[in-house]
Amino acid sequence: MSGEPGGPGEDGPPDPPTAPELLVESGGEARVMSPRRSYRVGRDPRSDLVLDDSRVSWHHAVLRPARGRWLVEDARSTNGTYTEGRRVRRTPVGPGSVIRFGSPADGPCAVLRGLPPEGAAEPAAVARPGGTRTFRRPSTVRPLPTARRTRIGRAPDNDLRVDDLAVSRHHAELRAGPGGWRIADLGSHNGTYLGGRRLTGSAPVLPGDLVGIGHSAFVLVGEELQEYVDTGEVSLDVQDLSVHVDKGRRTLLDAISFPVGERTLLAVVGPSGAGKSTLLNALTGLRPADQGTVLYDGRDLYRDYAELRQRIGLVPQDDILHTQLTVGRALGYAARLRFPEDTAKAERRARVDEVVRELGLQERVDQHIHALSGGQRKRVSVALELLTKPSLLFLDEPTSGLDPGMDRSVMGTLRALADDGRTVVVVTHSVLSLDLCDRLLVLAPGGRLAYYGPPGEALDHFGHTDWPEAFEAFERDRDRDWAGLFRASPLHRRYVRGESRQPRRPAQPPPGPVAPPTAQSWGGQLRTLVRRYAAALSSDRTFLVIMVVLPFVTGAMAHALAGSGLNRDSALNALLILCVGAVLTGAANAVRELVKERVIYQRERAVGLSRSAYLMSKVLVLGAVSVVQAVVLTMVALFGVDLNAPDGSGVLLPPLLEITLAVALLAFTSMMLGLLVSALVRKEEVTMPLLVLLALVQVVFCGALLVLDGVPGLEQVAWLAPSRWALGAMAGTVGLGALVPGDITADPLMRHSAPVWLLDMGMMLVLSLLLGRLVAHLLRRHEPEVMRE
């Protein structure tokens, strides 16, 4: 046996795939046997068919295709392999064969069945199953459950276990009733989908309906439950994508059509303004095309976007990373946000380690991201997206700013990812490594398809010898019909029409806003975001130095002005310095924080980040920092200073405590004002000038320099300045009107009375709430269009 060619002891290639595909049923489950390979049977967990029975040998037998049929070969097992009650060494098998291992009477058995004809059980949401990888043949086939309730999930105690971190431990339940089968979601975090729509409660399941759970789709066919697993080898079929702006007067994409096969690395190039980013947004569903269809392995991406977007990874041009963190911590926090809340720490860590090994980042795990080279940072961004095992990976200008060596290295990484079983689409301005790609798409100005096919044939098609000449021709001959020339060429017939696998779909209206999936509860997201943000700030040495030094310096200035006690000459100036210090510390903490993380927020929002949890994490961390700074500022400024409050007491509390509360609340409200500025601006560079302007406005309208009471216009504008209310509260505490008589201190908001003091403090709280609402609205403006609710 072992000496025969193709025996079980050899690892050579099997015979040509002429044998039929078969289903092997064993232990209540079934899997498809492809004639392109051999299948090993035994107790070894690495076997293709694992039989946990003491009578079965570690390596027991092999099922092998040979000359148009299947053979079962015993691998010198201890207790033997049996068909029709006879022990066999090597014998043909086929549909209807029953093979027993270890005992001819009651040993574990495998039943072979023929597969139904292609398309006989067509899933309702798939245009042409035969033109896909996922839906061509089921991964497993099970008899319909006999129990009335069949629980599906990741935990071992489920009736139907799905080994996928995107699946909750107890995810969904299949229920039998008098009216047929129903599917019910069990509160899963990533959702159960019926026909591409997220399920709420339960719904009936009809034959051919797709039930999506994680990367798996289940279909009822006759008396069977078929499972189709999206392993990543998926195709795209892009049909007539068009995008118009300015009410249709300007075209960004003009009827773009092309196919992308499995394991393909596609590069998209073209001159500036040709529509590359628009095409990327349309293919990922972030900004759906106005017309046309994107078929994800036969499924309409726009129609089923709620489910399929979890299988799409997107690496923007800017890094989606907190560079103050180490590689390991950044990936760890991303895993906490993207995986279901019931995922164990060990499961998350194992997935992070797997991705780190895949991208060769083992030696960089403990390095801070800001210390990495540009190419290494891009690998970390890719690693973050690979955590959830996306089938489609899109990258926008991943080699921008890299030298030629790093350019080649990044493209080599993408080549390896495609070879490993993914479809990778990269938008790039670089033409240095196009030879690593399977397909090249060239866009001409106006969003027209000028070429699609192998990179090596592109320049010949354009009649040029290098890419700069080709791009110059696009700019020089803008009126030339580049798309028409390509459609008339044999390249279009061969690589576009000839490779398209899906029938033309009628144009569908673009989907409305879709709520993002939520891998974690709101509270779970908030805890993770707070921990991550606190870790990032604590690793930022510049921020820490400013945070510590600023309140001490400002407090020392105020203390110098106050002297040994507040009096007619010093009181107003000392309180003014406290206002300025609180405004600067609070606003400076927050004025850059949203704009510098905008790309991170946009990507995380698309994969399930809660807008309010994100904002609340900023408010809690920055608010705590600002309040602590305000306390330090006030203590340095006034500790040991005679405040000369009326009768030595404040309005409701001890004077120093009241002033500390007013300064702390002013710092908090100024922090919210800083967040508003950060949400308004588009570039981080403009935040510092705006911070100076913000401080000046607060000084002018605080009431220490100008008489505001009773002045029309000025008084109403000053109501919007938190410093106006803070100075009023502090002035009321020390009885500033008596200490410094005059028109300015006669302001009613500076009275030493409980109602006025509570009004001053309450207005700062009201302003904080209003500012928070405005910031949340502005965050929505910066989200991907399809995410806006």
Side-chain angles (χ1 to χ4, degrees):
M1 279 285 296
S2 60
E4 297 178 24
E10 299 179 9
D11 293 323
D15 291 303
T18 55
E21 288 185 329
L22 292 176
L23 286 180
V24 179
E25 297 182 4
S26 179
E29 295 191 3
R31 66 169 299 163
V32 177
M33 288 173 39
S34 168
R36 293 175 175 81
R37 53 166 295 198
S38 299
Y39 293 82
R40 297 183 179 274
V41 183
R43 290 203 334 272
D44 184 352
R46 293 173 297 178
S47 299
D48 301 292
L49 184 60
V50 180
L51 301 177
D52 188 13
D53 190 294
S54 60
R55 294 169 293 180
V56 176
S57 297
W58 192 254
H59 298 130
H60 196 105
V62 176
L63 283 161
R64 180 187 304 282
R67 300 182 181 87
R69 60 182 181 175
W70 286 91
L71 300 175
V72 61
E73 300 176 350
D74 186 81
R76 295 181 178 177
S77 65
T78 302
N79 295 317
T81 302
Y82 302 85
T83 63
E84 298 180 357
R86 295 183 299 106
R87 184 165 183 165
V88 297
R89 295 182 62 196
R90 178 175 183 172
T91 188
V93 290
S97 296
V98 177
I99 310 170
R100 288 197 176 272
F101 305 94
S103 170
D106 59 352
C109 74
V111 180
L112 307 187
R113 300 189 186 279
L115 280 169
E118 189 169 297
E122 179 174 324
V126 183
R128 182 181 292 166
T132 72
R133 176 64 68 109
T134 300
F135 293 98
R136 188 178 299 132
R137 287 286 185 264
S139 305
T140 60
V141 178
R142 300 173 174 86
L144 282 180
T146 56
R148 293 185 61 84
R149 293 175 182 264
T150 301
R151 195 170 60 187
I152 306 171
R154 197 178 76 251
D157 62 349
N158 287 282
D159 304 299
L160 201 165
R161 185 167 182 258
V162 180
D163 187 14
D164 181 354
L165 286 183
V167 176
S168 297
R169 293 182 63 82
H170 300 120
H171 196 105
E173 197 170 65
L174 194 61
R175 300 169 180 171
W181 292 93
R182 298 181 68 86
I183 186 71
D185 185 79
L186 299 180
S188 66
H189 289 294
N190 283 331
T192 302
Y193 297 85
L194 182 61
R197 272 56 169 189
R198 185 160 186 168
L199 188 65
T200 55
S202 67
V205 183
L206 302 177
D209 282 350
L210 283 182
V211 177
I213 296 177
H215 289 80
S216 297
F218 297 90
V219 184
L220 294 178
V221 180
E223 297 300 316
E224 295 177 334
L225 179 63
Q226 298 183 357
E227 180 183 8
Y228 299 87
V229 180
D230 185 344
T231 59
E233 297 186 32
V234 300
S235 62
L236 275 184
D237 214 297
V238 180
Q239 301 177 356
D240 301 319
L241 288 192
S242 297
V243 174
H244 309 285
V245 293
D246 298 336
K247 297 182 180 180
R249 292 191 294 269
R250 184 163 159 246
T251 299
L252 300 184
L253 283 183
D254 190 1
I256 298 291
S257 299
F258 58 92
V260 187
E262 303 96 351
R263 295 175 177 255
T264 293
L265 174 57
L266 166 65
V268 179
V269 302
S272 298
K276 299 188 295 294
S277 295
T278 303
L279 177 61
L280 188 69
N281 288 335
L283 295 180
T284 57
L286 293 181
R287 199 291 188 189
D290 300 315
Q291 297 173 337
T293 307
V294 179
L295 293 178
Y296 174 105
D297 221 29
R299 299 180 64 180
D300 190 322
L301 175 65
Y302 294 165
R303 186 193 62 197
D304 297 350
Y305 185 69
E307 176 186 354
L308 296 179
R309 66 177 163 195
Q310 300 179 53
R311 307 181 196 177
I312 296 174
L314 173 61
V315 180
Q317 181 174 350
D318 297 323
D319 292 326
I320 47 177
L321 305 160
H322 288 84
T323 58
Q324 305 94 330
L325 299 176
T326 64
V327 171
R329 295 189 75 179
L331 294 178
Y333 284 124
R336 287 183 64 87
L337 287 172
R338 297 195 180 196
F339 290 140
E341 201 164 4
D342 59 13
T343 306
K345 183 177 181 180
E347 292 178 296
R348 293 196 304 269
R349 183 178 299 165
R351 181 57 190 154
V352 169
D353 291 344
E354 185 181 349
V355 170
V356 164
R357 286 193 302 271
E358 184 176 4
L359 290 172
L361 294 168
Q362 297 96 318
E363 297 180 0
R364 312 294 179 187
V365 170
D366 296 323
Q367 277 190 259
H368 286 87
I369 295 172
H370 64 74
L372 300 178
S373 67
Q376 290 165 349
R377 283 201 303 272
K378 192 59 65 176
R379 285 191 181 193
V380 179
S381 293
V382 173
L384 190 150
E385 288 299 307
L386 293 185
L387 287 172
T388 53
K389 295 187 177 181
S391 301
L392 289 176
L393 183 62
F394 294 88
L395 301 99
D396 189 7
E397 301 283 6
T399 61
S400 178
L402 302 183
D403 60 58
M406 280 294 180
D407 181 300
R408 188 76 177 180
S409 175
V410 170
M411 291 299 290
T413 299
L414 302 183
R415 174 70 267 168
L417 291 175
D419 292 338
D420 196 39
R422 298 177 185 88
T423 300
V424 181
V425 178
V426 53
V427 172
T428 180
H429 69 281
S430 173
V431 295
L432 296 176
S433 302
L434 295 182
D435 58 301
L436 296 177
C437 302
D438 301 294
R439 289 290 181 267
L440 173 66
L441 187 150
V442 182
L443 285 176
R448 298 179 178 89
L449 182 63
Y451 176 79
Y452 182 83
E457 301 180 33
L459 286 174
D460 288 341
H461 170 71
F462 293 123
H464 295 287
T465 57
D466 56 49
W467 284 106
E469 288 182 358
F471 285 177
E472 285 179 6
F474 289 141
E475 295 296 329
R476 186 175 57 250
D477 301 332
R478 281 184 169 269
D479 294 333
R480 190 173 182 182
D481 186 6
W482 297 100
L485 290 173
F486 177 61
R487 281 195 304 269
S489 72
L491 297 174
H492 185 275
R493 291 192 295 273
R494 185 183 313 154
Y495 298 120
V496 177
R497 285 185 292 176
E499 293 186 359
S500 295
R501 303 180 182 182
Q502 296 294 327
R504 288 285 170 182
R505 289 283 191 96
Q508 300 286 333
V514 178
T518 53
Q520 285 191 326
S521 65
W522 188 89
Q525 286 194 7
L526 179 61
R527 287 191 294 273
T528 300
L529 290 167
V530 166
R531 290 176 59 188
R532 183 179 70 177
Y533 189 42
L537 288 183
S538 63
S539 300
D540 188 339
R541 294 182 181 179
T542 303
F543 177 84
L544 289 177
V545 170
I546 295 175
M547 181 181 70
V548 172
V549 171
L550 187 58
F552 278 99
V553 171
T554 311
M557 293 169 57
H559 189 86
L561 284 172
S564 60
L566 299 183
N567 53 45
R568 180 185 184 92
D569 297 324
S570 64
L572 187 58
N573 289 333
L575 297 183
L576 176 60
I577 292 298
L578 285 177
C579 280
V580 173
V583 168
L584 281 176
T585 54
N589 288 339
V591 77
R592 297 182 304 120
E593 295 308 298
L594 297 182
V595 65
K596 77 178 184 182
E597 290 187 4
R598 186 155 295 155
V599 175
I600 299 175
Y601 172 71
Q602 289 172 339
R603 181 60 193 142
E604 291 187 339
R605 175 68 174 150
V607 296
L609 182 68
S610 165
R611 182 192 309 143
S612 57
Y614 175 78
L615 177 57
M616 185 58 68
S617 71
K618 300 295 183 188
V619 171
L620 290 178
V621 176
L622 293 174
V625 170
S626 300
V627 168
V628 170
Q629 288 178 301
V631 172
V632 172
L633 166 65
T634 310
M635 291 296 107
V636 171
L638 299 180
F639 190 76
V641 174
D642 184 0
L643 300 180
N644 285 320
D647 300 323
S649 62
V651 177
L652 296 173
L653 301 167
L656 184 58
L657 179 57
E658 282 190 1
I659 292 177
T660 302
L661 289 175
V663 175
L665 196 50
L666 174 59
F668 183 87
T669 310
S670 298
M671 180 273 298
M672 297 298 297
L673 197 56
L675 287 179
L676 178 66
V677 172
S678 192
L680 275 169
V681 300
R682 295 187 178 275
K683 294 183 178 180
E684 190 177 344
E685 293 79 8
V686 303
T687 56
M688 288 301 107
L690 288 176
L691 175 63
V692 175
L693 178 61
L694 191 65
L696 288 175
V697 170
Q698 294 269 46
V699 170
V700 170
F701 288 102
C702 71
L705 304 178
L706 298 174
V707 175
L708 299 175
D709 180 51
V711 180
L714 279 182
E715 181 179 19
Q716 287 71 35
V717 172
W719 290 348
L720 300 177
S723 59
R724 165 81 162 133
W725 306 100
L727 183 66
M730 289 188 287
T733 294
V734 301
L736 191 64
L739 279 176
V740 187
D743 293 339
I744 287 179
T745 58
D747 194 317
L749 295 180
M750 298 183 183
R751 289 177 187 163
H752 184 79
S753 72
V756 172
W757 189 83
L758 290 173
L759 173 66
D760 291 333
M761 299 293 283
M763 283 304 298
M764 284 191 282
L765 288 174
V766 170
L767 286 174
S768 295
L769 292 174
L770 290 175
L771 289 168
R773 187 64 183 266
L774 283 172
V775 173
H777 177 75
L778 291 171
L779 281 175
R780 176 185 177 276
R781 186 186 68 174
H782 294 297
E783 292 169 6
E785 182 176 319
V786 76
M787 294 293 141
R788 299 176 189 170
E789 302 169 10

